[in-house]
Amino acid sequence: MKQKRFFLSEEDIPRSWYNIAADMPNKPMPMLNPQTLKPVTLDELSQIFCRECSEQELNVTDRWIDIPEPVLEKYRYYRSTPLVRAYGLEKALDTPAHIYFKNESVSPVGSHKLNSALAQAWYCKQEGITNVTTETGAGQWGTALAYSAKVFGLEAAVYQVKISYEQKPYRRSMMQVFGAQVTPSPSMSTRAGKDILTRNPNHQGSLGTAISEAIELARETPERCKYTLGSTMSHVSLHQTIIGLEAEKQMEMAGEYPDEVIACFGGGSNFSGISFPFMRRNLMGEKHTRFIAAEPASCPKLTRGKFCYDFGDEAGYTPLIPMFSLGHDFMPANIHAGGLRYHGAGAIVTQLVKDGYMEGMDINQIEAFDSGMLFARAEGIIPAPESCHAIAATIRRANECKESGESRVLLFNLTGHGLMDMSSYDQYLRGNLINYSLSDGEIEKYTQKLGGL
Ligand SMILES: *Cc1c(COP(=O)(O)O)cnc(C)c1O
């Protein structure tokens, strides 16, 4: 019988993360201090993030960064995650492609987000921080941070995008089970929240606004409270490379190497995580793997965004980040993949897109759910709506392989399970979902204020 799932023994779990910036021919452009328009300094970054993460953020020289032992110990609760050959999906598609997926949904919180949350919480603890704040959309990052804070003995305060707070009550409960304090955003507890509610009392919330609120809270007591971010930043992508580093070894066990690596794209952390270790071989000229970032058609920053300096949040508290962006006040349609409703891409992926090492692919929400349904029936796992975008892109490519008769090796990242998203599946099954398309005029409206680069 052919092997379906591949695992690493505990001692084979990688002990370092991979910092792709060290190998990039063109380094990511620096983040800027919005007041001085000079590159941000370590001290400035450390006012928001913990010191170690700030250092990692600026590190473009060290290729390997050791994973602290206490983080490795917590990784062992769920890692290695399985690499799975999707025989069921291949059969359902009748494709000659070989399809593999890395199953990050087996983490205690149900998604890849824990890989970075554990690292960030540990570094905060080590630096004498007692409180962490963050934002969360669908609740995945908030849950990961809540659990990590509990594990390392920190207090967590989470601002959750209001519409998700209302639509996804079980994620809120999960955060509360792990001991976090959860506030719907925009809230009246911060200046950023108050400003937005004054302008628009029915504001449904956005990740950008929730980030502003969380940063504002952290800034009140910078010596004991730090802000943490679940995507976009380079240090988050760094922590996620554990996914691809494991997958590299597991693909070797399977006796194959991916021709294409596919991941869904919100701010870019899981895409970076599964891709960068393989992209390293492209950068070294050894391989020619294709890298596809599947983003929602309603939030298409990679394929239709502007290359510019923009804020990571709505109120403009973050440094200016070089990004493909739709504008920091972009209001994406209320699609069900909450984790992908973010306006910009991180500095590293932005540079890699510019340099032609990876590409974006737009997926609309009905195609995403169609694909998630097919996957669930073929492989027995109900995927998170975000992950459905990666599955849709994989299915497109597998169908193209069928037409051309090529048996390419496709690897995608299953970022999370959808068991907390059944209300979204319910909407899909009732035929209530619609596709949102953005006209060029709408995109222009949001991006014209941004200075191009
Ligand atoms: C947050 C999230 C994403 C998107 O975030 P990235 O930083 O782009 O990886 C994708 N899938 C799930 C399940 C998520 O929770």
Side-chain angles (χ1 to χ4, degrees):
M1 239 178 20
K2 290 179 290 181
Q3 192 168 345
K4 178 155 176 77
R5 303 199 304 161
F6 300 85
F7 290 94
L8 301 176
S9 64
E10 284 188 10
E11 60 270 27
D12 284 337
I13 297 174
R15 300 180 152 263
S16 314
W17 295 300
Y18 171 56
N19 179 16
I20 196 171
D23 287 329
M24 287 166 67
N26 298 313
K27 302 295 174 206
M29 292 170 64
M31 288 183 292
L32 303 180
N33 175 322
Q35 271 86 48
T36 62
L37 296 183
K38 298 238 168 63
V40 285
T41 63
L42 182 57
D43 284 341
E44 287 164 350
L45 267 187
S46 323
Q47 284 164 21
I48 306 177
F49 301 106
C50 70
R51 190 84 185 174
E52 181 65 34
C53 288
S54 304
E55 275 170 17
Q56 291 175 354
E57 191 63 30
L58 299 176
N59 188 333
V60 293
T61 48
D62 298 320
R63 182 172 295 127
W64 302 103
I65 310 255
D66 286 347
I67 306 175
E69 193 54 44
V71 175
L72 270 176
E73 187 194 316
K74 297 305 171 196
Y75 276 180
R76 281 184 218 119
Y77 281 62
Y78 62 102
R79 310 206 69 88
S80 65
T81 63
L83 175 82
V84 186
R85 174 83 184 263
Y87 289 114
L89 184 61
E90 288 174 21
K91 189 161 170 234
L93 297 171
D94 187 26
T95 177
H98 293 188
I99 305 176
Y100 291 84
F101 64 92
K102 184 76 167 145
N103 186 359
E104 290 294 307
S105 80
V106 301
S107 91
V109 297
S111 81
H112 71 287
K113 295 272 190 342
L114 196 54
N115 301 329
S116 184
L118 285 168
Q120 295 189 48
W122 165 250
Y123 288 130
C124 284
K125 181 69 184 177
Q126 212 189 13
E127 292 171 23
I129 303 298
T130 56
N131 293 63
V132 285
T133 71
T134 198
E135 79 294 337
T136 195
Q140 293 273 24
W141 169 247
T143 309
L145 187 73
Y147 170 81
S148 303
K150 186 49 76 189
V151 157
F152 290 122
L154 301 164
E155 298 289 326
V158 181
Y159 287 93
Q160 184 172 21
V161 176
K162 190 186 278 168
I163 188 145
S164 309
Y165 183 91
E166 285 159 6
Q167 280 183 352
K168 308 215 159 157
Y170 296 137
R171 278 270 163 59
R172 187 213 316 150
S173 312
M174 283 177 80
M175 291 186 260
Q176 290 165 339
V177 165
F178 291 128
Q181 189 200 331
V182 188
T183 308
S185 166
S187 77
M188 293 300 280
S189 69
T190 64
R191 194 158 43 82
K194 260 185 225 152
D195 283 354
I196 285 158
L197 283 177
T198 312
R199 269 182 279 137
N200 178 2
N202 295 321
H203 199 293
Q204 292 293 289
S206 71
L207 272 182
T209 306
I211 295 176
S212 304
E213 294 206 84
I215 293 182
E216 198 177 314
L217 184 64
R219 279 188 166 177
E220 279 173 18
T221 50
E223 61 300 334
R224 62 181 170 81
C225 182
K226 290 294 171 201
Y227 169 66
T228 64
L229 193 45
S231 186
T232 318
M233 306 299 285
S234 303
H235 66 269
V236 182
S237 293
L238 172 76
H239 304 151
Q240 293 295 351
T241 59
I242 187 75
I243 303 171
L245 292 165
E246 283 183 2
E248 234 186 333
K249 293 187 175 188
Q250 290 163 307
M251 288 297 301
E252 212 174 297
M253 291 166 74
E256 303 215 74
Y257 192 90
D259 295 308
E260 305 187 18
V261 177
I262 300 165
C264 65
F265 196 100
S269 77
N270 94 86
F271 172 86
S272 306
I274 192 159
S275 297
F276 288 176
F278 294 103
M279 203 180 282
R280 175 167 169 252
R281 312 270 169 193
N282 281 29
L283 293 171
M284 295 191 306
E286 286 176 10
K287 298 280 185 192
H288 303 282
T289 300
R290 180 176 175 189
F291 297 93
I292 301 173
E295 61 180 6
S298 57
C299 196
K301 57 239 155 201
L302 293 176
T303 50
R304 298 171 74 192
K306 194 160 176 175
F307 178 51
C308 61
Y309 268 108
D310 195 12
F311 292 107
D313 67 321
E314 184 154 337
Y317 290 158
T318 67
L320 285 165
I321 304 171
M323 45 164 61
F324 277 106
S325 177
L326 295 165
H328 62 272
D329 52 3
F330 177 73
M331 280 295 288
N334 181 28
I335 57 160
H336 286 257
L340 305 184
R341 298 175 73 235
Y342 185 68
H343 67 274
I348 290 180
V349 278
T350 288
Q351 191 61 46
L352 292 169
V353 169
K354 286 218 31 114
D355 290 344
Y357 287 104
M358 55 175 281
E359 64 199 275
M361 185 184 279
D362 289 355
I363 305 286
N364 70 48
Q365 95 166 333
I366 293 177
E367 182 181 348
F369 275 95
D370 287 344
S371 306
M373 291 287 290
L374 182 66
F375 178 80
R377 291 173 180 186
E379 293 291 331
I381 301 169
I382 298 179
E386 292 84 359
S387 315
C388 290
H389 290 72
I391 297 170
T394 305
I395 291 177
R396 274 195 203 174
R397 292 294 303 127
N399 286 335
E400 283 162 12
C401 286
K402 185 178 177 180
E403 268 166 41
S404 66
E406 281 175 291
S407 91
R408 286 171 74 80
V409 178
L410 312 179
L411 166 65
F412 77 87
N413 197 24
L414 183 74
T415 49
H417 66 67
L419 299 180
M420 291 290 143
D421 303 283
M422 293 316 292
S423 60
S424 302
Y425 277 91
D426 188 48
Q427 292 296 311
Y428 168 85
L429 291 166
R430 288 166 190 264
N432 288 345
L433 293 194
I434 54 166
N435 286 330
Y436 298 90
S437 60
L438 275 167
S439 67
D440 290 341
E442 279 171 282
I443 292 192
E444 180 59 25
K445 185 183 88 179
Y446 282 106
T447 56
Q448 67 184 358
K449 307 179 283 290
L450 306 168
L453 275 174

